[in-house]
Amino acid sequence: MGFGPMMSSLMRNKTGAILVALQIAVTLAIVINSLFIIMQRVEKMNRDSGIDVPNVIITDVRGFGDDFNVVDSISNDIELIKSIPGVIAATVSNHAPLTGSGSGTGLRTVADETVVPVGTARYRWSEEGLDALGVELARGRNFYPEEVQYILPTSNSAAPASILVTQALADELFPDEDALGKTVYWGSLEPSTIVGIIDHMHGSWVNWSKLGNVVVQPGKPAYTNNRYIIRVQPGMRDEVMPLIEQRLGESNRRRVVKDVRALEDIAARSYRRDRGMAIVLTVVISFLIGLTGLVIVGLSSFHVTQRTKQIGTRRALGARRIDIVRQFMLENWLITTAGAALGVILTVAVAYWLEVSFELPRLDWRYLPGGIVVLWVLSSIAVYEPARRAASVPPAVATRSV
Amino acid sequence: MLEMSRIQKIYRTELIETHALRDLSLSVGDGEFVAVTGPSGSGKTTFLNIAGLLESFENGSYVLDGRNVAGLNDDQRSEFRNRKIGFIFQSFNLIPDLNLYDNVDVPLRYRRLPAAERRARIRRALETVGLASRMKHLPAQLSGGQQQRVAIARALAGEPAMLLADEPTGNLDSAMAHQVMDLLEEIHAAGATIVMVTHDPDLARRAERNIHLMDGRVALEDYSTGAADLPPQPADRERLVARA
């Protein structure tokens, strides 16, 4: 049957066709926007943190008792950890990246309280901190050992002379010039000099838009609760973790080992909402695509049953089996295309609403042709079996009286 | 035109075999108007289906317009049917969603004729049946007789070698039935070969020859007096055709 007669035939039986087209339009709008959100989440989870996440171990310890010597404890612990085979580097730190907890601050390029500071995550670690996280120093230098002092609760909280910043923070502080060697000012307007630029490193809060902004002060935080960042050789992590717990536990009865965890697990927990969202949306998409396929199968099967006599007549008048299959496929293609056309409008409308209401990024238009092709393929697969059944209607049906 | 020899057709289920045609042999010449009659269950519809290549058969041979059709596959049968046979069904079998023009166009599209030729044929066929002015109407907007005339136009548009009519007036009142029969006679007078299956003896008498089926065999052949241009008649006008 030609395009024109097929269109006029569809228009005379439009209820079913319109319902399927609407279903396809809604499916397209939901699938494309959901897929876009899923891809955003996947990209977010898979982005490079700049840290050697698979090989980093985070250990939390807590000292107790009046005579607990925190400096000795930390010093001994770090030496003990570094003596375990497979350990590359270890440092005490105030926080660990990608954990969801940390401290932040604001830096200015001028000593003026009226200037809006640039927000950043803040860490304190020793000269082994870079090695302990596996991050690269792009330019400048690392901390000298003599710059790294224990920071006790009673210590002077004066700003350090030297700091490291990530390239992202450096670019935001000094967009038009090299940040290396420049002075920045803390909230107290005390100055520090940037002595090194870290190529790339994520901070603590994975949902923060300035996740790449990190400033590092030299220091060994020495409190009751302390956190060690330890990096091991590739493949050694699971072997080393129980050894750390065992050896630290045996070495000092005045402090307890609270937790020994892989940074990979901690980071995965930080991204659990993103992962959950991606899984839920994938299930919704799968369900919706399956449902749409079933609707197409159902309507096509109904049409085959409804038009058995007509199909037999067409066969009697000279239609080959392939002509019947082609007719059903083409009818379905027309409905799908009409639904897809409506779906494109709906998709853009939903995307705009998501963008305005939830500050999602603008929908990448390339998802549209991809979604349409997927629906064409889906509907073609869904209609094929009913179409094949239609083609098997014998031409002798035309001469039957019922 | 049509030459069947010792055709057998058996319908089988798990429990029974039904011999619908038993060594059926008959022929129809070019330009003949033949009526095939018989009581219910005599094999009329099976004969029609096999003659129209709508069904296959077990044994025997069938030559249509010079071609043995026994070895044709499904696609070849479809194409051959499209080119050689024009069907007129008892229930008209028009496609209700298509207007008259598109209904007549259906077999022509399957033949992949050029659009201009299809247009000319459709117009000519609808003019022949007197419905050219209503080509944009839907079948439901026509009377039963008019619908059957559209079906005849559809059969004629393909310029087939043979028209196969299955109880063409079965769903019509007597006045409309007469109109349709008049039209078939006109078409026959213009040279068409027509094979009409009917149980109505009055209609059968309007054909040149009446083949009576009984139990899947030809029981009787009768050269009718009703037609205007009868072929030479045998002396006894009637002859019993005994078949094994």
Side-chain angles (χ1 to χ4, degrees):
Chain A
M1 185 156 55
F3 185 79
M6 194 172 287
M7 278 299 288
S8 68
S9 176
L10 281 175
M11 283 300 98
R12 292 199 181 92
N13 299 282
K14 48 181 174 278
T15 308
I18 287 174
L19 286 176
V20 172
L22 283 176
Q23 166 91 23
I24 286 168
V26 171
T27 300
L28 188 73
I30 294 176
V31 165
I32 286 185
N33 281 292
S34 299
L35 200 60
F36 182 62
I37 292 171
I38 289 171
M39 293 313 293
Q40 295 285 321
R41 302 294 167 124
V42 169
E43 279 176 21
K44 181 181 170 186
M45 288 186 287
N46 290 337
R47 61 193 164 175
D48 177 22
S49 67
I51 299 165
D52 186 14
V53 174
N55 299 308
V56 172
I57 299 165
I58 305 298
T59 299
D60 292 324
V61 297
R62 177 185 173 84
F64 59 90
D66 294 337
D67 55 346
F68 174 64
N69 185 326
V70 64
V71 171
D72 285 351
S73 177
I74 290 172
S75 175
N76 292 337
D77 285 349
I78 293 294
E79 288 309 310
L80 183 67
I81 289 167
K82 286 165 68 176
S83 72
I84 296 172
V87 172
I88 295 171
T91 183
V92 62
S93 175
N94 58 336
H95 299 290
L98 309 177
T99 57
S101 77
S103 66
T105 189
L107 295 178
R108 297 183 176 88
T109 54
V110 291
D112 181 352
E113 278 185 337
T114 62
V115 173
V116 177
V118 175
T120 176
R122 183 177 64 170
Y123 296 94
R124 290 186 175 113
W125 65 46
S126 72
E127 70 279 11
E128 287 198 45
L130 294 175
D131 265 356
L133 284 168
V135 295
E136 298 286 334
L137 191 65
R139 283 172 299 122
R141 65 168 176 84
N142 194 359
F143 300 131
Y144 296 132
E146 55 270 26
E147 290 175 316
V148 181
Q149 303 297 321
Y150 281 98
I151 302 168
L152 298 163
T154 55
S155 297
N156 179 1
S157 61
S162 306
I163 56 170
L164 306 177
V165 298
T166 54
Q167 185 69 57
L169 178 58
D171 290 343
E172 193 169 348
L173 286 167
F174 301 98
D176 300 321
E177 47 192 327
D178 188 357
L180 190 62
K182 293 281 190 310
T183 300
V184 293
Y185 300 88
W186 301 87
S188 60
L189 300 183
E190 292 173 281
S192 290
T193 302
I194 298 171
V195 298
I197 308 283
I198 297 169
D199 183 37
H200 174 60
M201 177 189 158
H202 280 174
S204 297
W205 309 285
V206 297
N207 295 320
W208 192 33
S209 61
K210 295 183 176 181
L211 181 60
N213 284 6
V214 172
V215 59
V216 187
Q217 299 175 227
K220 298 177 184 174
Y223 308 125
T224 307
N225 289 295
N226 292 299
R227 172 163 284 180
Y228 302 142
I229 299 173
I230 304 147
R231 187 157 72 103
V232 298
Q233 288 170 353
M236 299 283 289
R237 186 190 71 191
D238 294 342
E239 193 180 323
V240 170
M241 279 171 62
L243 289 176
I244 291 172
E245 187 163 13
Q246 182 196 342
R247 299 223 180 145
L248 288 182
E250 288 168 353
S251 69
N252 186 347
R253 300 293 179 189
R254 306 297 298 178
R255 71 90 190 89
V256 291
V257 179
K258 287 167 62 182
D259 211 359
V260 179
R261 285 185 296 170
L263 181 59
E264 197 170 35
D265 295 339
I266 298 170
R269 188 171 168 76
S270 296
Y271 283 111
R272 68 187 183 284
R273 284 189 181 173
D274 299 294
R275 184 174 293 101
M277 174 71 86
I279 290 170
V280 167
L281 289 177
T282 302
V283 170
V284 168
I285 286 176
S286 307
F287 176 76
L288 201 55
I289 286 176
L291 183 67
T292 303
L294 286 177
V295 167
I296 293 170
V297 169
L299 185 77
S300 305
S301 298
F302 174 68
H303 278 162
V304 172
T305 307
Q306 192 187 33
R307 294 194 278 181
T308 300
K309 181 95 175 181
Q310 187 189 120
I311 295 163
T313 301
R314 286 180 180 278
R315 293 276 285 126
L317 296 177
R320 298 165 301 166
R321 289 174 195 268
I322 187 69
D323 294 320
I324 301 296
V325 170
R326 195 178 292 148
Q327 179 191 335
F328 275 82
M329 300 287 276
L330 186 56
E331 276 183 10
N332 180 69
W333 184 84
L334 285 172
I335 294 171
T336 304
T337 303
L342 181 63
V344 166
I345 297 168
L346 199 59
T347 302
V348 173
V350 170
Y352 178 73
W353 175 69
L354 290 172
E355 188 182 334
V356 170
S357 305
F358 300 101
E359 295 181 350
L360 288 184
R362 179 161 294 176
L363 176 69
D364 184 345
W365 66 269
R366 286 173 298 185
Y367 281 73
L368 283 167
I372 292 169
V373 168
V374 166
L375 280 177
W376 272 336
V377 171
L378 167 76
S379 68
S380 298
I381 292 170
V383 84
Y384 181 72
E385 179 53 29
R388 207 188 55 77
R389 213 162 353 107
S392 69
V393 170
V397 164
T399 60
R400 289 179 196 156
S401 54
V402 287
Chain B
M1 173 59 63
L2 180 156
E3 187 76 43
M4 285 185 179
S5 175
R6 301 181 71 83
I7 294 284
Q8 282 190 352
K9 179 67 182 178
I10 303 168
Y11 293 107
R12 293 182 175 86
T13 67
E14 287 182 3
L15 297 176
I16 56 168
E17 284 189 348
T18 305
H19 291 256
L21 296 181
R22 301 165 189 264
D23 289 340
L24 177 80
S25 297
L26 62 81
S27 61
V28 175
D30 284 351
E32 256 197 303
F33 185 175
V34 175
V36 178
T37 61
S40 179
S42 62
K44 296 192 302 293
T45 301
T46 304
F47 159 73
L48 179 95
N49 287 344
I50 289 173
L53 309 183
L54 303 179
E55 280 190 60
S56 57
F57 51 91
E58 269 87 23
N59 294 311
S61 73
Y62 173 21
V63 176
L64 176 63
D65 200 29
R67 183 166 183 184
N68 188 344
V69 300
L72 300 183
N73 64 29
D74 193 77
D75 282 352
Q76 289 169 327
R77 292 160 74 87
S78 292
E79 285 177 18
F80 199 61
R81 189 160 61 227
N82 177 272
R83 288 177 183 280
K84 298 295 179 183
I85 301 168
F87 283 100
I88 302 164
F89 301 103
Q90 179 178 355
S91 307
F92 326 135
N93 291 22
L94 298 177
I95 293 168
D97 304 326
L98 302 181
N99 62 31
L100 307 193
Y101 183 97
D102 290 332
N103 260 290
V104 177
D105 195 21
V106 169
L108 305 184
R109 279 187 182 272
Y110 291 133
R111 204 186 294 186
R112 294 166 200 82
L113 291 175
E117 186 178 347
R118 292 201 329 263
R119 229 176 0 253
R121 284 185 181 217
I122 294 166
R123 190 167 289 279
R124 201 159 54 234
L126 284 172
E127 279 169 358
T128 301
V129 301
L131 288 168
S133 62
R134 307 188 67 176
M135 61 173 65
K136 295 298 175 192
H137 285 64
L138 291 172
Q141 295 171 298
L142 305 181
S143 69
Q146 287 171 323
Q147 289 188 45
Q148 191 59 298
R149 279 155 57 193
V150 177
I152 292 169
R154 182 176 64 187
L156 291 175
E159 297 174 3
M162 174 175 73
L163 286 179
L164 269 181
D166 177 21
E167 303 276 13
T169 61
N171 284 8
L172 302 176
D173 62 31
S174 59
M176 288 191 177
H178 271 287
Q179 285 179 14
V180 168
M181 284 308 297
D182 289 347
L183 181 59
L184 286 179
E185 283 178 352
E186 281 174 32
I187 293 164
H188 169 240
T193 304
I194 301 176
V195 176
M196 178 177 68
V197 170
T198 181
H199 68 280
D200 184 340
D202 289 337
L203 290 183
R205 270 194 285 276
R206 296 183 67 166
E208 292 171 335
R209 184 155 59 103
N210 183 359
I211 297 172
H212 192 73
L213 299 186
M214 184 75 80
D215 296 332
R217 296 187 178 94
V218 174
L220 196 68
E221 279 191 45
D222 170 22
Y223 285 90
S224 165
T225 55
D229 51 348
L230 285 174
Q233 305 294 300
D236 57 0
R237 304 294 306 270
E238 243 182 38
R239 60 191 169 88
L240 187 65
V241 182
R243 305 284 178 186

